[in-house]
């Protein structure tokens, strides 16, 4: 059975509001307005720092002194001035060298390749083996980043090797990188979503309160300075699968570089600052003494590495950015990025306590206990007691709430407060912390077998990983896997039966609160309003967490990682959103700067070889930037102006140039694609387009008569099996063409004796061109059965010449309209098939009206029917929940 007019009747798909809960509807609309303001959709008012001298240049901009021009001046080919690739003789020699150092295999394999008779000669290479190439890089290419040096640090009478670089030169190399020149930020700003400046926005570090407040402190002594926020991260990592070989890298980046660049390891915005000693000091038998010695060694090494920041932060140094402009820069330690053990080691706080505040360990599970950030002045006074003798020092440190660490690295850093500098850690605190705990609690509450059965029966979607063996049996679950599980865990526990018939409402609200907090914490832009929503989500979890105590799963919630969630609001207002300081970035850097470096060695005196390998790689990368700049004609870009990130991820819909199947018969569409009423729907679409904007709707009988008179000049149509949405360049900060979303419409097929089921994804579809994204009444959910196009030759036979027909169309089976508000407990919208006369309502829509994929979670009931499968569940089930957690954007629309 089909709708009553052309393509579809909006009254079938738009909620009439007769059963609305007005309060819930208004709450949802208010949330959508808040989301729109946080995304900058209502505009952005930028308030600059009041003193215009902040961040100003001390010398006039000179293109002749830009980083690439200065670099090129060191490369002069006396024999051939037109050689852009010097010191390499030709383009092919440069490409071979670049491949060998960035993409190639080991040095031995590269030497073996060049030793093949005729290879080096045919390519015209001046080097015959890896050693000759290394000498060319070492002696002919300019030094872009500083070299490593090895020094010994003595702790407890024992000497340890630390490999590190001059931090001032490292900062200069990042600050002066030509690729970052147009993106650098030099002064703090306040961003607002409204003209009245009541809703403040936080995204990049310069929009946070820390930069503004520190600039005011700096101006009191040295007005006109440019703050360079130093972001340090450290994390010990294993570099071998066996033998337990470890490295202890320390990474550096600066807050002047936008977070869109800092979060991409390939951008080169992080630099390896040091390799710390990895010794476990096992010769010290007393565990307390050993831990104290390890902490003192860590701080002694970092104190050596960061010591130049003391005068650079106070007096400032002259630095030139990549465009040639000079400023007086003050290098100030801003934030430390690390997991919980690293935070404790850095601050000297005992295990089980908060590294930031004075909350008691037994109160970390409370959401109401008052706390205060640890007072730096009291801690510094305790550290000064070191000169009064060991006993007095230990007692003073204990009274201040820290371990007796001798001269921690942050003790003398200007404008630094280590307890404020500790940043939220999404990966370890949430994904590998609270979410890991939550999954164990749910497995105990709901039963692992039932949870796994529901996981195996989820319909496919671009954003959903199907765990065909379930999730409760997984071991060593990564942060990525926890993120994938979070996308559906709430939906699969709805209606599940709890022991002793306990009401599942509190369980759903607790899980929903934790997931909402997780997703809100990762917003790329926050407003003062969304930060309130962040607090509300955490409160929702705490208000309902006792369900796990009633189930006998927990006795208390004294988890430091749960308490850490209470600091997210403050830290976002200080340093910007959490993607400014995510430990996921350093986890990825381990591969490039530690593990790959170790594999390039012969595993003997590895750190000397690792640092040398890295220096050569960095020289090649720097030369690559120069060559690209020369080939582009030495173009100078206009400055980039930061604005609130758009959570929609700018993207474009992409269809393949040619159809997947050139000709599919109507019968095949019905049988293999499941497009039961395709012929009738297409006839009605043609009638609708022929009538144009006719104001008088047709009655059923009239529409059927007109549709029955349609004769198709074809019996087969070209069919496409996928719609894609790809990322597009957002003003130069992010580049690439990654697939962000997709919708599949594949037929059933026979592969030998095995039947492969059809795949017909569900999608979020616009009902009219005037539909606005923050009003769900203008959208509906449909299942995409067939994606096709009409033959160009037939258009003139079917439509008047004034009618514009989209190049791609889709046959859709509809679901009921969105209710006025989501469910009170789980926060999800409930939908079912839109039926009329026992048949599913269907129609033809332009592919351009398909906005994105949507994931529907079946309403399983008390127990998931075992006859359902992932491939057939959309046909077997009649009632579904709209999954709002498949990505951040869907969450912002449907929450």
């Amino acid at each position: 059975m089909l709708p009553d007019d052309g393509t579809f009747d909006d009254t079938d798909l738009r909620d009439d509001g007769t059963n609305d809960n007005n309060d819930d509807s208004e709450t949802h609309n208010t949330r959508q307005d808040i989301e729109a303001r946080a995304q900058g959709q209502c505009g952005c008012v930028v308030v600059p720092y009041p003193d215009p001298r902040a961040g100003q240049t001390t010398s006039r901009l000179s293109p002749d002194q830009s980083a690439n021009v200065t670099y090129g001046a060191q490369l002069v080919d006396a024999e051939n001035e037109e050689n852009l690739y010097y010191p390499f003789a030709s383009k092919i020699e440069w490409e071979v060298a670049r491949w060998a150092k960035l993409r190639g295999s080991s040095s031995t394999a590269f030497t073996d390749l060049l030793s093949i008779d005729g290879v080096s000669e045919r390519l015209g290479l001046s080097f015959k083996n890896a050693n000759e190439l290394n000498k060319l890089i070492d002696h002919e290419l300019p030094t872009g980043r500083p070299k490593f040096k090895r020094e010994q640090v003595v702790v407890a009478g024992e000497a340890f090797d630390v490999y590190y670089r001059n931090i001032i030169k490292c900062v200069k190399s990042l600050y002066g990188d030509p690729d970052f020149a147009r993106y650098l930020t030099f002064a703090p700003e306040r961003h607002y979503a409204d003209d009245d400046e009541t809703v403040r926005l936080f995204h990049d570090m310069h929009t946070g309160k820390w930069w503004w407040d520190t600039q005011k402190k700096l101006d009191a002594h040295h007005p006109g300075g440019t703050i360079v926020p130093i972001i340090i991260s450290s994390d010990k990592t294993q570099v071998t699968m066996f033998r337990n070989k470890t490295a202890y890298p320390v990474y550096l980046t600066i807050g002047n570089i936008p977070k869109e660049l800092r979060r991409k390891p390939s951008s080169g915005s992080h630099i390896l600052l040091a390799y710390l000693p990895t010794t476990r000091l096992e010769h010290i038998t007393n565990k307390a003494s050993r831990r104290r010695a390890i902490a003192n060694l860590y701080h002694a090494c970092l104190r050596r590495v960061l010591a130049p920041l003391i005068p650079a932060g106070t007096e400032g140094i002259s630095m030139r950015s990549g465009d040639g402009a000079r400023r007086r820069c003050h290098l100030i330690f801003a934030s430390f990025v690390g997991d919980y053990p690293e935070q404790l080691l850095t601050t000297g706080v005992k295990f089980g306590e908060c590294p930031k505040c004075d909350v008691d360990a037994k109160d970390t599970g409370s959401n109401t206990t008052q706390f205060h950030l640890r007072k730096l002045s009291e801690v510094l006074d305790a550290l000064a007691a070191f000169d009064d003798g060991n006993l007095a020092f230990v007692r003073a440190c204990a009274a201040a709430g820290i371990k007796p660490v001798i001269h921690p690295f942050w003790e003398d850093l200007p404008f630094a407060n280590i307890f404020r500098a500790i940043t939220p850690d999404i990966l370890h605190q949430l994904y590998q912390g609270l979410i890991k705990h939550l999954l164990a609690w749910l497995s105990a509450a709901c039963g692992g077998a039932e949870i796994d059965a529901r996981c195996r029966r989820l319909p496919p979607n671009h954003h959903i990983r199907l765990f065909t063996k379930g999730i409760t049996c997984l071991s060593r679950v990564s942060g990525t896997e926890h993120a994938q599980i979070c996308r559906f865990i709430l939906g699969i526990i709805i209606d599940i039966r709890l022991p002793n018939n306990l009401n599942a409402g509190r369980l759903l609200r607790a899980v929903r609160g934790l997931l909402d907090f997780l997703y809100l914490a990762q917003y790329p832009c926050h407003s003062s309003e969304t930060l309130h929503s962040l607090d509300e989500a955490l409160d929702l979890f705490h208000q309902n967490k006792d369900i796990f105590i009633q189930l006998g799963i927990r006795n208390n919630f004294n988890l430091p990682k749960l308490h850490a969630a209470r600091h997210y609001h403050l830290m976002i207002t200080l340093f910007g959103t959490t993607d400014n300081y995510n430990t996921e970035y350093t986890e990825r850097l381990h591969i490039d700067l530690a593990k790959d470096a170790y594999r390039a060695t012969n595993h003997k005196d590895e750190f000397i070889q690792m640092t040398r390998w890295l220096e050569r790689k960095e020289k090649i990368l720097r030369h690559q930037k120069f060559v690209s700049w020369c080939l582009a004609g030495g173009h100078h870009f206009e400055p980039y102006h930061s604005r609130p990130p758009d959570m929609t991820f700018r993207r474009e819909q992409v269809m393949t140039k040619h159809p997947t199947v050139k000709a599919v018969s109507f019968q095949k569409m019905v049988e293999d694609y499941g497009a039961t009423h395709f012929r009738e729907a297409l006839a009605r679409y043609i009638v609708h387009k022929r009538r144009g904007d006719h104001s008088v709707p047709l009655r059923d009988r009239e529409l059927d008569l007109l549709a029955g008179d349609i004769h198709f000049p074809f019996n087969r149509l070209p069919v496409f099996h996928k719609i894609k949405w790809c990322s597009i360049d957002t003003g130069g900060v992010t580049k690439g063409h990654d697939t962000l979303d997709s919708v599949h419409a594949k037929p059933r097929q026979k592969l030998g004796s095995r039947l492969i089921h059809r795949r017909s994804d569900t999608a979020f579809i616009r009902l009219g061109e005037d539909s606005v994204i923050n009003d769900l009444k203008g959208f509906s959910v449909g299942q995409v059965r067939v994606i096709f196009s009409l033959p160009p030759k037939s258009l003139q036979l079917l439509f008047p010449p004034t009618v514009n027909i989209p190049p791609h169309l889709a046959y859709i089976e509809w679901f009921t309209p969105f209710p006025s508000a989501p469910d009170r407990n789980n926060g999800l919208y409930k939908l079912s098939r839109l039926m009329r006369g026992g048949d599913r309502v269907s129609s033809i829509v332009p592919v351009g009206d398909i906005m994105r994929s949507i994931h529907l979670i079946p309403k399983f009931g008390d127990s998931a029917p075992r006859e359902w499968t992932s491939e057939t569940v959309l046909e077997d089930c009649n009632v579904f929940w709209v999954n709002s957690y498949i990505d951040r954007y869907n969450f912002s629309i449907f929450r």
Side-chain angles (χ1 to χ4, degrees):
M1 191 77 175
L2 296 168
D4 294 336
D5 68 353
T7 42
F8 53 84
D9 186 351
D10 276 5
T11 58
D12 287 322
L13 301 180
R14 297 179 188 264
D15 188 13
D16 61 7
T18 54
N19 296 318
D20 284 1
N21 183 316
N22 291 331
D23 291 340
D24 288 347
S25 179
E26 290 177 5
T27 299
H28 176 76
N29 292 336
T30 300
R31 285 178 177 172
Q32 290 303 304
D33 293 338
I34 290 173
E35 296 288 344
R37 286 192 289 270
Q39 297 172 30
Q41 295 178 10
C42 302
C44 177
V45 178
V46 177
V47 178
Y49 186 74
D51 189 344
R53 295 175 295 175
Q56 288 300 302
T57 59
T58 57
S59 64
R60 208 166 58 179
L61 183 84
S62 174
D64 294 336
Q65 295 178 332
S66 66
N68 279 316
V69 173
T70 304
Y71 180 90
Q74 304 175 64
L75 296 170
V76 179
D77 189 349
E79 298 179 0
N80 182 8
E81 295 183 357
E82 296 182 358
N83 180 16
L84 302 178
Y85 308 97
Y86 184 81
F88 301 97
S90 62
K91 178 181 179 181
I92 194 168
E93 182 173 289
W94 155 244
E95 294 290 350
V96 169
R98 187 169 66 92
W99 172 84
K101 291 302 173 186
L102 302 184
R103 302 291 185 184
S105 52
S106 65
S107 296
T108 302
F110 182 63
T111 297
D112 291 343
L113 173 65
L114 295 187
S115 65
I116 297 175
D117 189 32
V119 170
S120 183
E121 290 77 10
R122 293 282 183 88
L123 295 176
L125 304 180
S126 61
F127 44 83
K128 308 298 181 186
N129 51 53
N131 285 336
E132 292 184 9
L133 173 59
N134 289 338
K135 288 180 181 178
L136 179 63
I137 296 172
D138 292 341
H139 298 106
E140 299 297 333
L141 280 182
T143 301
R145 291 182 172 179
K147 292 185 176 182
F148 284 88
K149 55 184 177 182
R150 179 176 67 174
E151 290 188 5
Q152 288 191 334
V153 173
V154 179
V155 173
E158 189 172 354
F160 301 92
D161 289 335
V162 56
Y163 296 80
Y164 71 99
R165 293 162 144 165
N166 183 298
I167 189 172
I168 303 299
K169 293 181 179 178
C170 288
V171 173
K172 284 184 175 181
S173 68
L174 289 173
Y175 185 85
D177 192 307
D179 284 2
F180 302 151
R182 64 185 293 241
Y183 304 115
L184 292 182
T185 302
F186 303 107
E189 295 175 343
R190 287 175 176 168
H191 289 193
Y192 295 92
D194 59 331
D195 293 333
D196 295 333
E197 300 179 8
T198 59
V199 180
R200 186 163 175 182
L201 301 176
F202 303 93
H203 46 97
D204 267 297
M205 184 173 277
H206 73 285
T207 65
K209 296 179 179 180
W210 174 86
W211 198 328
W212 189 285
D213 294 341
T214 307
Q215 188 77 52
K216 289 173 64 176
K217 295 177 183 177
L218 179 64
D219 287 351
H221 304 282
H222 299 280
T226 299
I227 290 179
V228 178
I230 304 298
I231 304 172
I232 297 292
S233 55
S234 66
D235 185 26
K236 188 180 292 187
T237 183
Q238 191 166 317
V239 294
T240 58
M241 294 294 292
F242 309 101
R243 295 174 51 212
N244 203 27
K245 191 70 177 178
T246 58
Y248 206 155
V250 179
Y251 303 110
L252 163 75
T253 187
I254 57 176
N256 310 83
I257 302 173
K259 62 180 183 175
E260 283 81 3
L261 290 173
R262 278 188 279 119
R263 71 184 182 187
K264 294 178 178 295
S266 60
S267 69
S269 55
H270 286 78
I271 188 169
L272 179 65
L273 181 61
Y275 284 124
L276 302 183
T278 59
T279 178
R280 296 182 178 179
L281 301 180
E282 293 178 346
H283 64 283
I284 302 178
T285 55
N286 184 280
K287 292 184 178 180
S289 299
R290 185 192 306 159
R291 287 194 295 266
R292 181 174 177 179
I294 288 175
N296 285 328
L297 174 61
Y298 172 83
H299 283 278
C301 292
L302 274 184
R303 188 177 180 87
R304 177 78 60 87
V305 173
L306 302 181
L309 292 182
I310 298 174
T314 305
E315 303 299 328
I317 56 176
S318 177
M319 285 176 25
R320 193 189 300 275
S321 54
D323 57 6
R326 280 194 176 276
R327 292 174 176 85
R328 191 185 79 246
C329 297
H330 294 258
L331 283 55
I332 298 176
F333 176 71
S335 60
F336 177 85
V337 181
D339 57 15
Y340 183 63
E342 290 291 316
Q343 293 175 358
L344 296 182
L345 184 61
T346 299
T347 57
V349 174
K350 296 177 182 178
F351 183 83
E353 297 182 355
C354 176
K356 294 184 65 65
C357 72
D358 59 2
V359 70
D360 195 279
K362 70 179 187 306
D363 293 325
T364 53
S366 171
N367 198 39
T368 56
T369 301
Q370 296 294 317
F371 64 84
H372 303 90
L373 288 184
R374 296 179 185 270
K375 294 182 179 179
L376 180 64
S377 58
E378 294 180 0
V379 173
L380 292 178
D381 290 341
L383 294 173
F386 176 70
D387 297 331
D388 299 335
N390 189 55
L391 183 59
F393 177 58
V394 172
R395 288 177 175 174
C397 289
I402 64 169
K403 297 178 182 178
V405 179
I406 302 173
H407 297 308
F409 72 83
W410 39 264
E411 184 178 20
D412 298 321
L413 295 179
F415 304 105
N417 184 335
I418 189 60
F419 305 111
R420 185 178 56 188
I422 297 296
T423 55
D425 178 10
I426 295 290
L427 176 61
H428 298 99
Q429 289 174 350
L430 299 186
Y431 282 121
Q432 296 292 66
L434 297 184
I435 297 302
K436 181 180 179 180
H437 288 306
L438 178 66
L439 295 179
W441 302 341
L442 291 177
S443 179
C446 306
E450 181 62 24
I451 287 179
D452 291 342
R454 296 178 179 220
C455 287
R456 290 192 290 268
R457 288 160 177 81
L458 290 174
N461 179 271
H462 176 88
H463 302 280
I464 297 295
R465 173 182 171 183
L466 297 177
F467 290 85
T468 56
K469 296 183 179 180
I471 59 175
T472 62
C473 59
L474 297 175
S475 60
R476 297 179 64 86
V477 184
S478 67
T480 300
E481 288 171 325
H482 275 136
Q484 293 164 342
I485 293 170
C486 286
R487 295 174 183 174
F488 58 76
I489 188 63
L490 176 61
I492 65 174
I493 64 171
I494 298 174
D495 296 330
I496 209 163
R497 184 176 299 168
L498 295 182
N500 302 321
N501 290 323
L502 285 174
N503 189 340
R506 296 184 67 192
L507 177 72
L508 292 174
R509 291 194 295 272
V511 175
R512 172 188 161 198
L514 201 54
L515 289 178
D516 284 0
F517 181 87
L518 170 68
Y519 277 68
L520 284 163
Q522 297 178 83
Y523 270 22
C525 181
H526 264 291
S527 69
S528 48
E529 296 172 318
T530 57
L531 287 174
H532 179 67
S533 300
L534 183 75
D535 294 336
E536 287 182 332
L538 188 59
D539 289 341
L540 183 63
F541 169 77
H542 280 281
Q543 290 162 7
N544 296 276
K545 67 187 178 186
D546 285 349
I547 184 65
F548 296 109
I549 295 179
Q550 293 179 14
L551 290 166
I553 297 170
R554 295 287 305 181
N555 295 321
N556 61 70
F557 292 89
N558 294 330
L559 304 169
K561 294 179 179 179
L562 177 59
H563 168 75
R566 297 184 66 185
H567 292 297
Y568 277 51
H569 183 142
L570 173 63
M571 299 311 294
I572 290 171
T573 61
L574 286 177
F575 296 108
T577 47
T578 57
D579 50 355
N580 277 285
Y581 33 79
N582 197 333
T583 53
E584 288 184 26
Y585 310 155
T586 55
E587 294 289 338
R588 179 60 182 84
L589 291 172
H590 287 336
I591 298 175
D592 295 334
L593 305 181
K595 298 180 181 182
D596 285 351
Y598 180 79
R599 295 189 191 103
T601 71
N602 62 8
H603 306 164
K604 297 177 182 178
D605 293 327
E606 61 272 5
F607 286 107
I608 296 176
Q609 300 176 61
M610 290 166 67
T611 54
R612 193 175 298 147
W613 174 88
L614 181 60
E615 289 167 1
R616 289 167 179 158
K617 181 179 179 180
E618 289 174 341
K619 283 189 173 186
I620 291 293
L621 289 170
R622 178 63 186 93
H623 196 63
Q624 179 176 273
K625 293 179 181 180
F626 174 72
V627 170
S628 299
W629 177 76
C630 290
L631 294 175
H635 180 64
H636 295 276
F637 295 98
E638 292 298 319
Y640 168 80
H641 297 286
S642 174
R643 57 165 288 111
D646 187 356
M647 208 178 308
T648 59
F649 302 105
R650 290 187 60 196
R651 59 198 199 159
E652 59 182 348
Q653 193 180 76
V654 177
M655 297 292 297
T656 56
K657 184 176 181 181
H658 302 289
T660 311
V661 183
K662 293 184 177 180
V664 177
S665 66
F666 289 172
Q667 187 64 26
K668 285 285 186 183
M669 290 186 184
V670 174
E671 296 175 356
D672 295 342
Y673 290 82
T676 308
H677 300 290
F678 180 83
R679 183 187 292 271
E680 295 89 338
L682 182 57
R684 289 169 177 259
Y685 177 79
I686 293 172
V687 171
H688 173 75
K689 297 301 289 185
R690 283 179 175 178
R691 287 173 53 82
D693 298 328
H694 205 287
S695 58
V696 181
L698 291 173
R699 297 181 179 178
D700 290 349
R701 184 172 300 178
E702 295 172 328
L703 182 59
D704 288 339
L705 289 174
L706 291 175
D709 292 336
I710 299 295
H711 298 283
F712 302 117
F714 46 76
N715 53 20
R716 297 173 182 269
L717 290 173
V719 168
F720 302 80
H721 286 174
K722 183 163 67 172
I723 307 169
K724 292 197 305 183
W725 288 267
C726 296
S727 59
I728 58 177
D729 189 352
T730 55
V733 178
T734 56
K735 298 179 180 179
H737 207 63
D738 300 328
T739 300
L740 301 177
D741 197 5
S742 63
V743 167
H744 296 256
K746 297 179 179 179
R748 68 179 184 185
Q749 302 176 55
K750 277 192 175 182
L751 188 61
S753 59
R754 187 164 66 96
L755 177 66
I756 300 177
H757 293 275
R758 69 174 67 97
R759 176 174 173 179
S760 304
D761 287 355
T762 48
F764 188 58
I765 304 171
R766 181 177 60 188
L767 300 181
E769 294 183 358
D770 58 341
S771 299
V772 290
I773 201 64
N774 60 350
D775 184 3
L776 293 180
K777 293 180 180 179
F779 299 84
S780 192
V781 175
Q783 187 175 16
V784 183
R785 292 291 191 180
V786 181
I787 307 163
F788 64 98
S789 61
L790 296 175
K793 294 181 179 179
S794 66
L795 295 181
Q796 57 186 354
L797 301 176
L798 293 172
F799 304 99
T802 57
V803 175
N804 184 28
I805 302 300
H808 302 96
L809 301 169
Y811 174 86
I812 304 294
E813 290 181 352
W814 295 100
F815 289 83
T816 51
F818 287 102
S820 60
D823 182 86
R824 288 183 178 273
N825 288 323
N826 59 53
L828 305 182
Y829 287 91
K830 184 191 290 187
L831 303 179
S832 58
R833 293 280 185 178
L834 185 60
M835 308 292 289
R836 180 171 299 162
D839 283 336
R840 297 176 180 176
V841 174
S842 57
S843 63
I844 305 294
V845 302
V847 166
D849 285 344
I850 301 177
M851 309 307 295
R852 59 184 59 247
S853 72
I854 225 170
H855 187 238
L856 299 182
I857 296 179
K859 191 176 187 300
F860 289 107
D862 290 345
S863 178
R866 295 312 190 246
E867 65 273 14
W868 290 2
T869 66
S870 176
E871 296 85 0
T872 63
V873 69
L874 287 175
E875 309 302 321
D876 297 331
C877 183
N878 294 319
V879 182
F880 301 87
W881 299 100
V882 176
N883 188 354
S884 60
Y885 294 98
I886 59 174
D887 66 7
R888 199 166 57 218
Y889 185 65
N890 276 273
F891 173 77
S892 70
I893 294 176
F894 297 116
R895 82 177 186 90

